Amino acid sequence: MLGTLRVAMIAPLFLLPPAFLPVSTPSAKPDPSAFEVQMLAEVNQLRQSGCRCGDKHYPPVPALTWDARLAKAAKMHAADMSASNRMSHTGSNGSTMGQRARKAGYIWSMVGENVAWGYSDIPSVVDGWKNSPGHCSNMMTKGYVHLGAARSGTYWVQDFGAPR
């Protein structure tokens, strides 16, 4: 049913990278696509306003910036979910969000992921995540500074991160 939020995991993922990995550096910034601009605007509007995620109130937090590496990780995962016709935080090859981010070149200290299925546009999927406490918490976590997101068919992925 379109518009129904289907979740596999609702808690933020907090993972620590191995100490031997190099420090993350910002990626090159090509002109943003309409998708990037709209997704970032929707999430940052929520962050700027503050909101209630279930029983927890989040005050306004700083805006996120788009990260092409996290977007690459999100795109790989959205395409994988679409190809395998299943929604999960675990890739069909067993990969985790942290592994996908690292493979895309994002060296992180903290990462989190939202996935969804069945939404037709950015405002509706962001609203669906806002109405799910764990997903909402990911969008409102102050420690995240970067966002990358993607869509493949009706599969959606948001990847959040803070670099190492």
Side-chain angles (χ1 to χ4, degrees), residues 15-157:
L15 304 171
L16 299 175
F20 61 85
L21 292 175
V23 173
S24 181
T25 56
S27 60
K29 294 184 180 180
D31 289 338
S33 70
F35 176 89
E36 294 169 14
V37 169
Q38 186 179 8
M39 180 64 78
L40 195 58
E42 292 278 338
V43 173
N44 282 336
Q45 181 178 359
L46 184 67
R47 288 174 68 90
Q48 179 182 13
S49 303
C51 73
R52 179 164 295 286
C53 300
D55 293 336
K56 184 171 182 183
H57 177 277
Y58 285 84
V61 293
L64 299 170
T65 57
W66 190 262
D67 188 275
R69 298 161 299 179
L70 289 175
K72 181 179 178 181
K75 183 176 182 179
M76 287 187 300
H77 191 49
D80 179 52
M81 288 192 302
S82 183
S84 61
N85 198 30
R86 68 180 189 90
M87 189 182 76
S88 174
H89 286 283
T90 304
S92 63
N93 64 355
S95 65
T96 66
M97 191 269 156
Q99 291 167 333
R100 292 187 295 272
R102 196 173 301 120
K103 182 177 180 179
Y106 191 81
I107 309 305
W108 48 268
S109 62
M110 184 170 93
V111 290
E113 180 174 75
N114 286 344
V115 296
W117 174 81
Y119 290 90
S120 61
D121 58 29
I122 291 171
S124 63
V125 73
V126 170
D127 191 56
W129 282 323
K130 178 184 171 193
N131 290 309
S132 167
H135 294 93
C136 180
S137 176
N138 270 342
M139 292 190 292
M140 292 302 296
T141 296
K142 184 178 181 178
Y144 294 135
V145 296
H146 294 133
L147 171 66
R151 173 187 183 180
S152 181
T154 59
Y155 290 88
W156 298 81
V157 179

